[in-house]
mmCIF file of all heavy atoms in Angstrom:
data_model
loop_
_atom_site.group_PDB
_atom_site.id
_atom_site.type_symbol
_atom_site.label_atom_id
_atom_site.label_comp_id
_atom_site.label_asym_id
_atom_site.label_seq_id
_atom_site.Cartn_x
_atom_site.Cartn_y
_atom_site.Cartn_z
ATOM 1 N N GLU A 377 -9.599 12.156 -41.458
ATOM 2 C CA GLU A 377 -8.353 12.906 -41.241
ATOM 3 C C GLU A 377 -8.678 14.261 -40.570
ATOM 4 O O GLU A 377 -7.968 14.717 -39.679
ATOM 5 C CB GLU A 377 -7.712 13.152 -42.617
ATOM 6 C CG GLU A 377 -6.235 13.373 -42.598
ATOM 7 C CD GLU A 377 -5.448 12.064 -42.673
ATOM 8 O OE1 GLU A 377 -5.746 11.210 -43.520
ATOM 9 O OE2 GLU A 377 -4.534 11.924 -41.863
ATOM 10 N N ARG A 378 -9.761 14.873 -41.014
ATOM 11 C CA ARG A 378 -10.166 16.184 -40.500
ATOM 12 C C ARG A 378 -10.430 16.111 -38.983
ATOM 13 O O ARG A 378 -9.937 16.934 -38.221
ATOM 14 C CB ARG A 378 -11.437 16.644 -41.227
ATOM 15 C CG ARG A 378 -11.829 18.083 -40.972
ATOM 16 C CD ARG A 378 -13.209 18.406 -41.530
ATOM 17 N NE ARG A 378 -14.261 17.971 -40.619
ATOM 18 C CZ ARG A 378 -14.664 18.657 -39.558
ATOM 19 N NH1 ARG A 378 -14.105 19.819 -39.272
ATOM 20 N NH2 ARG A 378 -15.607 18.195 -38.770
ATOM 21 N N MET A 379 -11.195 15.098 -38.573
ATOM 22 C CA MET A 379 -11.519 14.997 -37.140
ATOM 23 C C MET A 379 -10.287 14.655 -36.307
ATOM 24 O O MET A 379 -10.174 15.071 -35.156
ATOM 25 C CB MET A 379 -12.600 13.928 -36.903
ATOM 26 C CG MET A 379 -14.013 14.425 -37.028
ATOM 27 S SD MET A 379 -14.360 15.976 -36.171
ATOM 28 C CE MET A 379 -14.239 15.491 -34.477
ATOM 29 N N ARG A 380 -9.370 13.893 -36.906
ATOM 30 C CA ARG A 380 -8.160 13.581 -36.136
ATOM 31 C C ARG A 380 -7.327 14.849 -35.927
ATOM 32 O O ARG A 380 -6.604 14.959 -34.949
ATOM 33 C CB ARG A 380 -7.357 12.453 -36.803
ATOM 34 C CG ARG A 380 -7.991 11.081 -36.578
ATOM 35 C CD ARG A 380 -7.047 9.941 -36.920
ATOM 36 N NE ARG A 380 -6.700 9.939 -38.322
ATOM 37 C CZ ARG A 380 -7.445 9.391 -39.289
ATOM 38 N NH1 ARG A 380 -8.567 8.778 -38.973
ATOM 39 N NH2 ARG A 380 -7.077 9.440 -40.540
ATOM 40 N N LYS A 381 -7.454 15.802 -36.841
ATOM 41 C CA LYS A 381 -6.786 17.096 -36.603
ATOM 42 C C LYS A 381 -7.528 17.869 -35.512
ATOM 43 O O LYS A 381 -6.911 18.503 -34.654
ATOM 44 C CB LYS A 381 -6.761 17.921 -37.901
ATOM 45 C CG LYS A 381 -5.732 17.404 -38.883
ATOM 46 C CD LYS A 381 -5.662 18.281 -40.089
ATOM 47 C CE LYS A 381 -4.652 17.707 -41.085
ATOM 48 N NZ LYS A 381 -4.932 18.074 -42.457
ATOM 49 N N VAL A 382 -8.853 17.846 -35.550
ATOM 50 C CA VAL A 382 -9.643 18.555 -34.534
ATOM 51 C C VAL A 382 -9.261 18.068 -33.134
ATOM 52 O O VAL A 382 -9.083 18.862 -32.213
ATOM 53 C CB VAL A 382 -11.167 18.350 -34.786
ATOM 54 C CG1 VAL A 382 -11.994 18.835 -33.598
ATOM 55 C CG2 VAL A 382 -11.605 19.053 -36.066
ATOM 56 N N ILE A 383 -9.111 16.760 -32.987
ATOM 57 C CA ILE A 383 -8.817 16.240 -31.637
ATOM 58 C C ILE A 383 -7.322 16.174 -31.345
ATOM 59 O O ILE A 383 -6.910 15.753 -30.274
ATOM 60 C CB ILE A 383 -9.457 14.850 -31.414
ATOM 61 C CG1 ILE A 383 -8.889 13.798 -32.396
ATOM 62 C CG2 ILE A 383 -10.979 14.926 -31.495
ATOM 63 C CD1 ILE A 383 -9.378 12.388 -32.134
ATOM 64 N N ASN A 384 -6.507 16.593 -32.315
ATOM 65 C CA ASN A 384 -5.042 16.608 -32.142
ATOM 66 C C ASN A 384 -4.451 15.213 -32.007
ATOM 67 O O ASN A 384 -3.625 14.940 -31.128
ATOM 68 C CB ASN A 384 -4.646 17.445 -30.915
ATOM 69 C CG ASN A 384 -3.204 17.878 -30.980
ATOM 70 O OD1 ASN A 384 -2.717 18.243 -32.052
ATOM 71 N ND2 ASN A 384 -2.510 17.861 -29.860
ATOM 72 N N LYS A 385 -4.897 14.339 -32.882
ATOM 73 C CA LYS A 385 -4.432 12.946 -32.786
ATOM 74 C C LYS A 385 -3.059 12.761 -33.420
ATOM 75 O O LYS A 385 -2.364 11.779 -33.133
ATOM 76 C CB LYS A 385 -5.471 12.030 -33.451
ATOM 77 C CG LYS A 385 -5.306 10.565 -33.184
ATOM 78 C CD LYS A 385 -5.612 10.190 -31.747
ATOM 79 C CE LYS A 385 -5.011 8.847 -31.396
ATOM 80 N NZ LYS A 385 -5.117 8.509 -29.990
ATOM 81 N N ASN A 386 -2.661 13.703 -34.292
ATOM 82 C CA ASN A 386 -1.355 13.582 -34.963
ATOM 83 C C ASN A 386 -1.183 12.189 -35.571
ATOM 84 O O ASN A 386 -0.189 11.489 -35.310
ATOM 85 C CB ASN A 386 -0.217 13.856 -33.970
ATOM 86 C CG ASN A 386 -0.014 15.338 -33.713
ATOM 87 O OD1 ASN A 386 0.375 16.097 -34.598
ATOM 88 N ND2 ASN A 386 -0.314 15.772 -32.501
ATOM 89 N N LEU A 387 -2.152 11.782 -36.376
ATOM 90 C CA LEU A 387 -2.120 10.426 -36.916
ATOM 91 C C LEU A 387 -2.825 10.406 -38.271
ATOM 92 O O LEU A 387 -4.001 10.765 -38.381
ATOM 93 C CB LEU A 387 -2.864 9.488 -35.935
ATOM 94 C CG LEU A 387 -2.895 8.006 -36.253
ATOM 95 C CD1 LEU A 387 -1.495 7.405 -36.206
ATOM 96 C CD2 LEU A 387 -3.794 7.280 -35.240
ATOM 97 N N SER A 388 -2.095 9.987 -39.313
ATOM 98 C CA SER A 388 -2.698 9.977 -40.656
ATOM 99 C C SER A 388 -3.308 8.611 -40.967
ATOM 100 O O SER A 388 -2.996 7.612 -40.318
ATOM 101 C CB SER A 388 -1.632 10.315 -41.703
ATOM 102 O OG SER A 388 -0.753 9.208 -41.831
ATOM 103 N N GLU A 389 -4.122 8.601 -42.005
ATOM 104 C CA GLU A 389 -4.760 7.339 -42.407
ATOM 105 C C GLU A 389 -3.707 6.319 -42.846
ATOM 106 O O GLU A 389 -3.793 5.139 -42.513
ATOM 107 C CB GLU A 389 -5.752 7.602 -43.542
ATOM 108 C CG GLU A 389 -6.506 6.354 -43.942
ATOM 109 C CD GLU A 389 -7.666 6.654 -44.852
ATOM 110 O OE1 GLU A 389 -8.591 7.351 -44.414
ATOM 111 O OE2 GLU A 389 -7.632 6.211 -46.013
ATOM 112 N N ASP A 390 -2.703 6.793 -43.595
ATOM 113 C CA ASP A 390 -1.653 5.873 -44.045
ATOM 114 C C ASP A 390 -0.965 5.204 -42.857
ATOM 115 O O ASP A 390 -0.665 4.005 -42.888
ATOM 116 C CB ASP A 390 -0.595 6.623 -44.864
ATOM 117 C CG ASP A 390 -1.103 6.874 -46.285
ATOM 118 O OD1 ASP A 390 -2.104 6.221 -46.659
ATOM 119 O OD2 ASP A 390 -0.522 7.722 -46.980
ATOM 120 N N GLU A 391 -0.722 6.005 -41.818
ATOM 121 C CA GLU A 391 -0.041 5.440 -40.638
ATOM 122 C C GLU A 391 -0.908 4.367 -39.974
ATOM 123 O O GLU A 391 -0.409 3.334 -39.520
ATOM 124 C CB GLU A 391 0.296 6.560 -39.641
ATOM 125 C CG GLU A 391 1.444 7.426 -40.122
ATOM 126 C CD GLU A 391 1.579 8.741 -39.363
ATOM 127 O OE1 GLU A 391 0.582 9.224 -38.778
ATOM 128 O OE2 GLU A 391 2.694 9.308 -39.375
ATOM 129 N N ILE A 392 -2.209 4.615 -39.942
ATOM 130 C CA ILE A 392 -3.116 3.621 -39.330
ATOM 131 C C ILE A 392 -3.100 2.335 -40.163
ATOM 132 O O ILE A 392 -2.989 1.228 -39.621
ATOM 133 C CB ILE A 392 -4.559 4.181 -39.248
ATOM 134 C CG1 ILE A 392 -4.599 5.390 -38.313
ATOM 135 C CG2 ILE A 392 -5.537 3.111 -38.783
ATOM 136 C CD1 ILE A 392 -5.892 6.182 -38.362
ATOM 137 N N LEU A 393 -3.182 2.494 -41.484
ATOM 138 C CA LEU A 393 -3.242 1.310 -42.349
ATOM 139 C C LEU A 393 -1.938 0.532 -42.316
ATOM 140 O O LEU A 393 -1.933 -0.709 -42.281
ATOM 141 C CB LEU A 393 -3.584 1.732 -43.787
ATOM 142 C CG LEU A 393 -4.981 2.353 -43.949
ATOM 143 C CD1 LEU A 393 -5.195 2.830 -45.378
ATOM 144 C CD2 LEU A 393 -6.073 1.362 -43.556
#
Side-chain angles (χ1 to χ4, degrees):
E377 204 87 48
R378 190 189 82 82
M379 273 313 291
R380 284 194 297 276
K381 285 184 182 153
V382 169
I383 62 174
N384 200 40
K385 193 69 199 172
N386 281 294
L387 183 65
S388 72
E389 184 168 297
D390 282 345
E391 287 165 336
I392 296 169
L393 295 176

